[in-house]
Amino acid sequence: MKAISLAACIPLGCTSGGWNCYKHPASGLPRTQTSSRPTAKAAAAVVGGALAVVAVPTVLGAMGFTGAGIAASSLAAKMMSSAAIANGGGVAAGSLVATLQSVGSAGLSLSSRVLLGSAGFDLVSPVVGL
């Protein structure tokens, strides 16, 4: 939304002299109402970031990466089996399966939450028009 200067707004005749005393020239709404739309869009983008942080552990749990270990007959078990076969019987430290198991058992670190929240915010921002 393009910023509108106070000089471009029409006075409403109140005595406080604040933004509430002016209305937008095109919509006729008080200035505070026209400036609240970006706030709603920003709030939607923040919710998108929060959902990303909540969704990752939930999805990993559904895949079989649980706090108690890898669930039997799950996608995680199949991934672990493939990784072990490819590496001669063991899962390499730092591999995708090892990393996902770590997140599944211990959760996301603070830095991972920040990065994931930022990514969720960045994905939702263009959708809501920020």
Side-chain angles (χ1 to χ4, degrees):
M1 172 182 249
K2 190 175 181 180
I4 296 176
S5 70
L6 186 59
C9 292
I10 302 165
L12 293 177
C14 62
T15 57
S16 69
W19 282 104
N20 290 333
C21 293
Y22 296 87
K23 66 180 179 178
H24 188 278
S27 69
L29 295 172
R31 178 68 175 100
T32 54
Q33 289 182 6
T34 58
S35 63
S36 66
R37 289 185 185 165
T39 304
K41 291 178 181 180
V46 169
V47 168
L51 285 175
V53 172
V54 171
V56 167
T58 304
V59 169
L60 288 177
M63 289 175 63
F65 294 102
T66 67
I70 292 182
S73 300
S74 65
L75 177 61
K78 292 174 185 166
M79 289 174 66
M80 184 176 180
S81 175
S82 295
I85 291 169
N87 290 316
V91 176
S95 67
L96 177 64
V97 174
T99 302
L100 293 177
Q101 178 54 38
S102 175
V103 172
S105 63
L108 293 167
S109 66
L110 179 60
S111 61
S112 295
R113 289 180 189 181
V114 169
L115 290 172
L116 198 55
S118 296
F121 181 90
D122 289 342
L123 287 173
V124 174
S125 292
V127 173
V128 297
L130 283 182

